Amino acid sequence: MAMVTERFDALLRWIEEDGGGLHPSIEIYHDDTTKASFRVKDSCSVGIEDVIVTLPLSRALSYLDAINRHPDFALPSSSSSQVQEEQGCFPAEFLEKTPPHVVGRFFLMQEYLLGSRSKWWPYIRTLPQPEHMSSLLPVMWPSDDVEFLRGTNAFTAVQDIKSTLKKEYKNAIRLLPERYHAEYTRVLYLWAYSIFTSRSFRPSLILPADTLSGLSCDVDDFSILLPLYDIGNHSPLAQISWTTDEQARVCTLKTRQRYSAGEQVFNNYGMKTNAELLLGYGFVLPEDDRLHNDYIHIKTKANPDAGDLAATHIVSLKPMAHPSSFVGRSKLLSAESLSGLACFSHIQDTLIAALYESITKGEEETNEVSLTQIMRGEISEEVLEKIINTLGAKLSIDLQEIVENEPEYEAANRNQHLALCYREQCSRVLENALRSLMTGPG
């Protein structure tokens, strides 16, 4: 524990050297449950609008640092010291042909391999290390652990992600000279993926526009690591704000609520379901009286003519109108959908609308019916029955898939226990939604 504390103390000193820092009433706390987190010191408190973290943008790490080291790719806003640093830069062909998010991961790999010679070493040494990545994200779990997810949508997602990562690494490494291949391994690439996936931020929310002048890709085609900023754990109920001072070149994390001595101070990663948290961060939120985060995701074919209708929709453990369905309500297309039929109360309105569009395709009445009317069942009985039956069939199949793939042996480690928890959450969501659908339109 003393070594862990020393590393975070060194990280804080490194941030302070460039003008950043941590609120004096906040400490970095570490335990086996939360790992690193922010906590209010004894006999202290934190108030509304207090700045928790101040981070100089010079300490951020991303794709931009990779291209700014190359004289042919450096942005106008980059300093001359960034270009052609002694550590060198990636070849032009690699930077030109490799997707920005992949380049960012290779840059993190490069800095990890540099060890103490890296500018970012005080940050990198506080991160989960490659030898511990089997407990990071499901995509990194041993196959025996992943099997505990079989039958859930997370299992399918893990297979898809693994396939994508394999292709990304293969395409990128072949653009690098042979001298890179021994150290820039696929295992290290998977580690870099895990770090960016679980800790990064969208550049459009952080970086000033003038720093992106001359960028050849969309600003959110890559993500950005923010040392110290990323220590805060997630709560969808946390009231926070991220702001950037364009002149001072610093970003700040502010809290919009009060915290007392000994309380953990949270960040807010956005309205993410447990499925998204499991795949992207390696944890799920337990249900309590204030919040449940249990939803399953259902995909439909993208419809270019459907306007705002998404191709991925959610089904909730509790009715969307229930106070604890905080995340679910945030994803509704219209608040009026909360007054819809009871049988639709667990279903995201975009899914009901997508089914209506599909069932009535080609009929003139389609464009004359509002979302509110669809949700309230103010449509033909035949169409309404088809929507309910289609949903029932889909949810029943998904539930049966989970039941039929029940693990054959008891959970033996953290990953497997987490997977069992997620399976149980998915089953409960499907059972509750099906029970609600069975009430029919009456």
Side-chain angles (χ1 to χ4, degrees):
M1 186 62 72
M3 183 178 294
V4 172
T5 301
E6 187 279 326
R7 289 181 178 181
F8 282 103
D9 287 345
L11 169 67
L12 188 54
R13 289 194 300 271
W14 178 66
I15 297 293
E16 291 172 342
E17 287 172 3
D18 211 14
L22 189 62
H23 190 288
S25 295
I26 301 292
E27 62 183 353
I28 300 173
Y29 178 73
H30 194 281
D31 63 23
D32 290 337
T33 302
T34 64
K35 305 304 180 184
S37 60
F38 293 136
R39 187 175 69 171
V40 182
K41 295 177 181 178
D42 292 341
S43 304
C44 294
S45 62
V46 174
I48 297 173
E49 294 299 317
D50 279 358
V51 175
I52 303 303
V53 175
T54 302
L55 178 71
L57 293 178
S58 59
R59 295 309 198 205
L61 184 155
S62 74
Y63 160 75
L64 298 180
D65 297 291
I67 62 173
N68 283 337
R69 282 188 178 176
H70 197 291
D72 294 339
F73 291 85
L75 300 179
S77 59
S78 64
S79 63
S80 57
S81 62
Q82 285 180 282
V83 181
Q84 292 182 305
E85 289 187 0
E86 62 181 29
Q87 291 95 337
C89 54
F90 290 117
E93 184 182 24
F94 174 82
L95 295 175
E96 182 179 3
K97 295 183 178 180
T98 305
H101 68 280
V102 176
V103 172
R105 294 170 192 165
F106 268 80
F107 183 79
L108 176 59
M109 294 161 67
Q110 180 184 66
E111 297 306 301
Y112 170 82
L113 292 169
L114 285 170
S116 59
R117 291 177 294 147
S118 168
K119 165 186 170 180
W120 287 275
W121 185 240
Y123 171 58
I124 292 173
R125 66 199 294 257
T126 66
L127 299 172
Q129 297 300 289
E131 61 267 25
H132 300 136
M133 72 178 193
S134 63
S135 61
L136 291 180
L137 305 179
V139 73
M140 306 301 154
W141 291 358
S143 57
D144 285 349
D145 296 352
V146 176
E147 277 298 312
F148 273 71
L149 291 172
R150 185 179 288 276
T152 70
N153 49 12
F155 180 84
T156 303
V158 167
Q159 309 312 311
D160 292 343
I161 294 170
K162 283 184 174 181
S163 177
T164 298
L165 292 173
K166 183 178 181 180
K167 293 175 184 176
E168 287 177 345
Y169 175 75
K170 180 180 179 181
N171 292 335
I173 197 66
R174 70 183 183 185
L175 295 173
L176 291 173
E178 189 68 29
R179 68 177 184 273
Y180 285 86
H181 293 195
E183 291 187 309
Y184 288 73
T185 64
R186 185 180 168 195
V187 170
L188 196 58
Y189 180 72
L190 295 177
W191 169 77
Y193 159 82
S194 295
I195 296 301
F196 267 99
T197 297
S198 62
R199 310 181 78 90
S200 65
F201 297 78
R202 288 171 53 191
S204 60
L205 300 176
I206 300 294
L207 298 178
D210 64 339
T211 65
L212 303 170
S213 175
L215 189 65
S216 61
C217 64
D218 290 338
V219 63
D220 286 334
D221 281 351
F222 60 96
S223 54
I224 183 169
L225 291 173
L226 301 177
L228 189 64
Y229 218 85
D230 61 3
I231 289 177
N233 287 325
H234 169 64
S235 170
L237 300 178
Q239 301 174 43
I240 55 92
S241 67
W242 305 339
T243 59
T244 299
D245 185 325
E246 297 190 12
Q247 186 172 1
R249 289 293 192 267
V250 298
C251 57
T252 57
L253 172 64
K254 290 184 180 180
T255 179
R256 297 189 179 277
Q257 63 192 95
R258 301 183 189 280
Y259 289 95
S260 302
E263 287 189 315
Q264 184 176 173
V265 179
F266 290 95
N267 200 341
N268 190 327
Y269 304 168
M271 296 296 104
K272 297 184 183 296
T273 67
N274 272 347
E276 294 168 309
L277 293 177
L278 176 64
L279 292 169
Y281 302 90
F283 68 89
V284 297
L285 296 176
E287 178 189 356
D288 61 32
D289 293 337
R290 296 177 60 210
L291 172 79
H292 83 82
N293 205 42
D294 304 329
Y295 303 86
I296 64 161
H297 291 246
I298 292 181
K299 290 185 177 181
T300 56
K301 292 182 179 179
N303 181 0
D305 300 322
D308 293 331
L309 297 183
T312 302
H313 320 271
I314 61 171
V315 178
S316 173
L317 173 71
K318 296 181 179 179
M320 294 291 188
H322 192 278
S324 66
S325 298
F326 186 72
V327 173
R329 281 195 302 281
S330 74
K331 298 180 181 295
L332 292 177
L333 200 58
S334 170
E336 292 185 4
S337 297
L338 295 173
S339 63
L341 293 174
C343 62
F344 292 157
S345 61
H346 293 252
I347 316 294
Q348 186 178 354
D349 54 6
T350 56
L351 177 54
I352 305 298
L355 289 173
Y356 177 84
E357 293 272 351
S358 176
I359 291 170
T360 62
K361 188 174 182 180
E363 298 181 11
E364 293 184 1
E365 68 170 313
T366 302
N367 296 325
E368 299 175 0
V369 178
S370 68
L371 176 62
T372 301
Q373 288 174 305
I374 297 172
M375 292 300 294
R376 290 177 179 173
E378 297 170 359
I379 53 180
S380 75
E381 291 184 9
E382 180 184 0
V383 172
L384 180 58
E385 184 178 353
K386 286 182 179 179
I387 292 175
I388 294 173
N389 290 342
T390 302
L391 277 171
K394 169 59 178 171
L395 300 183
S396 296
I397 291 172
D398 288 353
L399 180 58
Q400 187 63 29
E401 190 74 12
I402 294 176
V403 172
E404 291 179 352
N405 287 281
E406 193 71 22
E408 297 180 356
Y409 50 93
E410 294 184 2
N413 57 45
R414 174 197 174 274
N415 294 347
Q416 293 175 7
H417 280 290
L418 180 58
L420 284 182
C421 176
Y422 179 71
R423 292 180 68 89
E424 173 61 24
Q425 291 175 346
C426 290
S427 294
R428 291 180 60 211
V429 170
L430 291 165
E431 289 167 353
N432 286 2
L434 281 166
R435 194 175 297 117
S436 178
L437 276 175
M438 288 173 62
T439 64

